[in-house]
PDB file of all heavy atoms in Angstrom:
ATOM      1  N   ILE A 201     -19.032  -0.417 -74.783  1.00 98.00           N
ATOM      2  CA  ILE A 201     -18.676  -1.661 -75.484  1.00 98.00           C
ATOM      3  C   ILE A 201     -19.408  -1.719 -76.820  1.00 98.00           C
ATOM      4  O   ILE A 201     -20.455  -1.075 -76.977  1.00 98.00           O
ATOM      5  CB  ILE A 201     -19.008  -2.881 -74.579  1.00 98.00           C
ATOM      6  CG1 ILE A 201     -18.325  -4.156 -75.071  1.00 98.00           C
ATOM      7  CG2 ILE A 201     -20.502  -3.099 -74.454  1.00 98.00           C
ATOM      8  CD1 ILE A 201     -18.373  -5.305 -74.043  1.00 98.00           C
ATOM      9  N   GLY A 202     -18.880  -2.483 -77.749  1.00 98.00           N
ATOM     10  CA  GLY A 202     -19.535  -2.654 -79.059  1.00 98.00           C
ATOM     11  C   GLY A 202     -19.650  -1.326 -79.773  1.00 98.00           C
ATOM     12  O   GLY A 202     -18.690  -0.559 -79.868  1.00 98.00           O
ATOM     13  N   GLY A 203     -20.852  -1.018 -80.234  1.00 98.00           N
ATOM     14  CA  GLY A 203     -21.076   0.229 -80.946  1.00 98.00           C
ATOM     15  C   GLY A 203     -20.829   1.446 -80.070  1.00 98.00           C
ATOM     16  O   GLY A 203     -20.678   2.559 -80.588  1.00 98.00           O
ATOM     17  N   SER A 204     -20.762   1.255 -78.783  1.00 98.00           N
ATOM     18  CA  SER A 204     -20.473   2.378 -77.882  1.00 98.00           C
ATOM     19  C   SER A 204     -18.979   2.504 -77.609  1.00 98.00           C
ATOM     20  O   SER A 204     -18.578   3.220 -76.693  1.00 98.00           O
ATOM     21  CB  SER A 204     -21.254   2.207 -76.565  1.00 98.00           C
ATOM     22  OG  SER A 204     -22.632   2.354 -76.826  1.00 98.00           O
ATOM     23  N   SER A 255     -23.598   4.183 -73.190  1.00 97.00           N
ATOM     24  CA  SER A 255     -24.420   2.983 -73.368  1.00 97.00           C
ATOM     25  C   SER A 255     -25.804   3.415 -73.815  1.00 97.00           C
ATOM     26  O   SER A 255     -26.501   4.111 -73.079  1.00 97.00           O
ATOM     27  CB  SER A 255     -24.525   2.205 -72.051  1.00 97.00           C
ATOM     28  OG  SER A 255     -25.422   1.123 -72.192  1.00 97.00           O
ATOM     29  N   LYS A 256     -26.165   3.010 -75.021  1.00 96.00           N
ATOM     30  CA  LYS A 256     -27.489   3.393 -75.516  1.00 96.00           C
ATOM     31  C   LYS A 256     -28.572   2.877 -74.574  1.00 96.00           C
ATOM     32  O   LYS A 256     -29.422   3.622 -74.116  1.00 96.00           O
ATOM     33  CB  LYS A 256     -27.701   2.845 -76.925  1.00 96.00           C
ATOM     34  CG  LYS A 256     -29.099   3.140 -77.445  1.00 96.00           C
ATOM     35  CD  LYS A 256     -29.310   2.661 -78.852  1.00 96.00           C
ATOM     36  CE  LYS A 256     -30.771   2.893 -79.220  1.00 96.00           C
ATOM     37  NZ  LYS A 256     -31.082   2.538 -80.591  1.00 96.00           N
ATOM     38  N   SER A 257     -28.501   1.577 -74.273  1.00 95.00           N
ATOM     39  CA  SER A 257     -29.534   0.984 -73.418  1.00 95.00           C
ATOM     40  C   SER A 257     -29.379   1.453 -71.978  1.00 95.00           C
ATOM     41  O   SER A 257     -30.350   1.487 -71.225  1.00 95.00           O
ATOM     42  CB  SER A 257     -29.425  -0.537 -73.466  1.00 95.00           C
ATOM     43  OG  SER A 257     -28.146  -0.926 -72.989  1.00 95.00           O
ATOM     44  N   GLY A 258     -28.168   1.760 -71.596  1.00 96.00           N
ATOM     45  CA  GLY A 258     -27.911   2.177 -70.211  1.00 96.00           C
ATOM     46  C   GLY A 258     -27.927   1.014 -69.246  1.00 96.00           C
ATOM     47  O   GLY A 258     -27.904   1.217 -68.030  1.00 96.00           O
ATOM     48  N   THR A 260     -26.110  -2.235 -70.150  1.00 96.00           N
ATOM     49  CA  THR A 260     -25.192  -3.296 -70.599  1.00 96.00           C
ATOM     50  C   THR A 260     -24.255  -3.677 -69.450  1.00 96.00           C
ATOM     51  O   THR A 260     -23.572  -2.818 -68.881  1.00 96.00           O
ATOM     52  CB  THR A 260     -24.390  -2.796 -71.829  1.00 96.00           C
ATOM     53  OG1 THR A 260     -25.327  -2.459 -72.846  1.00 96.00           O
ATOM     54  CG2 THR A 260     -23.428  -3.842 -72.342  1.00 96.00           C
ATOM     55  N   GLY A 316     -26.349   1.355 -82.129  1.00 98.00           N
ATOM     56  CA  GLY A 316     -24.986   1.472 -81.599  1.00 98.00           C
ATOM     57  C   GLY A 316     -23.942   1.484 -82.706  1.00 98.00           C
ATOM     58  O   GLY A 316     -23.026   2.300 -82.702  1.00 98.00           O
ATOM     59  N   ARG A 317     -24.093   0.573 -83.669  1.00 98.00           N
ATOM     60  CA  ARG A 317     -23.040   0.441 -84.684  1.00 98.00           C
ATOM     61  C   ARG A 317     -23.080   1.539 -85.741  1.00 98.00           C
ATOM     62  O   ARG A 317     -22.218   1.578 -86.608  1.00 98.00           O
ATOM     63  CB  ARG A 317     -23.106  -0.947 -85.330  1.00 98.00           C
ATOM     64  CG  ARG A 317     -24.446  -1.320 -85.937  1.00 98.00           C
ATOM     65  CD  ARG A 317     -24.457  -2.796 -86.318  1.00 98.00           C
ATOM     66  NE  ARG A 317     -25.761  -3.287 -86.740  1.00 98.00           N
ATOM     67  CZ  ARG A 317     -26.676  -3.763 -85.941  1.00 98.00           C
ATOM     68  NH1 ARG A 317     -26.475  -3.762 -84.626  1.00 98.00           N
ATOM     69  NH2 ARG A 317     -27.825  -4.223 -86.410  1.00 98.00           N
ATOM     70  N   GLN A 397     -18.022  -5.062 -86.790  1.00 98.00           N
ATOM     71  CA  GLN A 397     -19.315  -4.965 -86.106  1.00 98.00           C
ATOM     72  C   GLN A 397     -20.381  -4.422 -87.047  1.00 98.00           C
ATOM     73  O   GLN A 397     -21.491  -4.957 -87.129  1.00 98.00           O
ATOM     74  CB  GLN A 397     -19.248  -4.056 -84.874  1.00 98.00           C
ATOM     75  CG  GLN A 397     -20.574  -4.093 -84.118  1.00 98.00           C
ATOM     76  CD  GLN A 397     -20.869  -2.887 -83.235  1.00 98.00           C
ATOM     77  OE1 GLN A 397     -20.327  -1.809 -83.419  1.00 98.00           O
ATOM     78  NE2 GLN A 397     -21.745  -3.079 -82.275  1.00 98.00           N
ATOM     79  N   GLU A 401     -22.801  -7.510 -87.473  1.00 98.00           N
ATOM     80  CA  GLU A 401     -23.981  -7.415 -86.604  1.00 98.00           C
ATOM     81  C   GLU A 401     -25.204  -7.018 -87.436  1.00 98.00           C
ATOM     82  O   GLU A 401     -26.332  -7.329 -87.078  1.00 98.00           O
ATOM     83  CB  GLU A 401     -23.744  -6.398 -85.480  1.00 98.00           C
ATOM     84  CG  GLU A 401     -24.622  -6.636 -84.265  1.00 98.00           C
ATOM     85  CD  GLU A 401     -24.210  -5.825 -83.041  1.00 98.00           C
ATOM     86  OE1 GLU A 401     -24.008  -4.611 -83.157  1.00 98.00           O
ATOM     87  OE2 GLU A 401     -24.109  -6.419 -81.960  1.00 98.00           O
ATOM     88  N   GLN A 528     -30.329  -6.911 -83.616  1.00 95.00           N
ATOM     89  CA  GLN A 528     -29.254  -7.868 -83.300  1.00 95.00           C
ATOM     90  C   GLN A 528     -29.789  -8.912 -82.320  1.00 95.00           C
ATOM     91  O   GLN A 528     -29.278  -9.047 -81.211  1.00 95.00           O
ATOM     92  CB  GLN A 528     -27.997  -7.174 -82.753  1.00 95.00           C
ATOM     93  CG  GLN A 528     -28.171  -6.214 -81.592  1.00 95.00           C
ATOM     94  CD  GLN A 528     -28.776  -4.907 -81.994  1.00 95.00           C
ATOM     95  OE1 GLN A 528     -28.540  -4.420 -83.096  1.00 95.00           O
ATOM     96  NE2 GLN A 528     -29.603  -4.344 -81.138  1.00 95.00           N
ATOM     97  N   VAL A 531     -27.389 -11.560 -80.304  1.00 90.00           N
ATOM     98  CA  VAL A 531     -26.516 -11.321 -79.151  1.00 90.00           C
ATOM     99  C   VAL A 531     -27.271 -11.519 -77.835  1.00 90.00           C
ATOM    100  O   VAL A 531     -26.662 -11.699 -76.784  1.00 90.00           O
ATOM    101  CB  VAL A 531     -25.861  -9.923 -79.179  1.00 90.00           C
ATOM    102  CG1 VAL A 531     -24.930  -9.797 -80.361  1.00 90.00           C
ATOM    103  CG2 VAL A 531     -26.899  -8.824 -79.201  1.00 90.00           C
ATOM    104  N   LYS A 535     -26.183 -13.162 -73.905  1.00 85.00           N
ATOM    105  CA  LYS A 535     -26.378 -12.362 -72.686  1.00 85.00           C
ATOM    106  C   LYS A 535     -27.250 -13.125 -71.696  1.00 85.00           C
ATOM    107  O   LYS A 535     -26.985 -13.160 -70.502  1.00 85.00           O
ATOM    108  CB  LYS A 535     -27.065 -11.040 -73.026  1.00 85.00           C
ATOM    109  CG  LYS A 535     -26.168 -10.037 -73.706  1.00 85.00           C
ATOM    110  CD  LYS A 535     -26.931  -8.731 -73.842  1.00 85.00           C
ATOM    111  CE  LYS A 535     -26.288  -7.808 -74.832  1.00 85.00           C
ATOM    112  NZ  LYS A 535     -27.103  -6.667 -75.166  1.00 85.00           N
TER     113      LYS A 535
HETATM  114  O1  F6P B 711     -24.773   0.878 -76.091  1.00 88.74           O
HETATM  115  P1  F6P B 711     -25.207  -0.330 -75.355  1.00 88.74           P
HETATM  116  O2  F6P B 711     -26.686  -0.376 -75.135  1.00 88.74           O
HETATM  117  O3  F6P B 711     -24.449  -0.469 -74.068  1.00 88.74           O
HETATM  118  O4  F6P B 711     -24.880  -1.586 -76.251  1.00 88.74           O
HETATM  119  C1  F6P B 711     -23.580  -1.879 -76.634  1.00 88.74           C
HETATM  120  C2  F6P B 711     -23.550  -2.873 -77.758  1.00 88.74           C
HETATM  121  O5  F6P B 711     -24.208  -4.051 -77.380  1.00 88.74           O
HETATM  122  C3  F6P B 711     -24.978  -4.536 -78.477  1.00 88.74           C
HETATM  123  O6  F6P B 711     -26.299  -4.288 -78.211  1.00 88.74           O
HETATM  124  C4  F6P B 711     -24.770  -5.986 -78.665  1.00 88.74           C
HETATM  125  O7  F6P B 711     -24.876  -6.658 -77.468  1.00 88.74           O
HETATM  126  C5  F6P B 711     -24.500  -3.725 -79.650  1.00 88.74           C
HETATM  127  O8  F6P B 711     -25.396  -3.718 -80.672  1.00 88.74           O
HETATM  128  C6  F6P B 711     -24.245  -2.430 -79.011  1.00 88.74           C
HETATM  129  O9  F6P B 711     -23.478  -1.589 -79.822  1.00 88.74           O
END
Side-chain angles (χ1 to χ4, degrees):
I201 196 167
S204 292
S255 174
K256 176 178 175 177
S257 61
T260 301
R317 55 190 172 272
Q397 186 203 22
E401 203 168 49
Q528 52 285 327
V531 295
K535 286 186 196 170

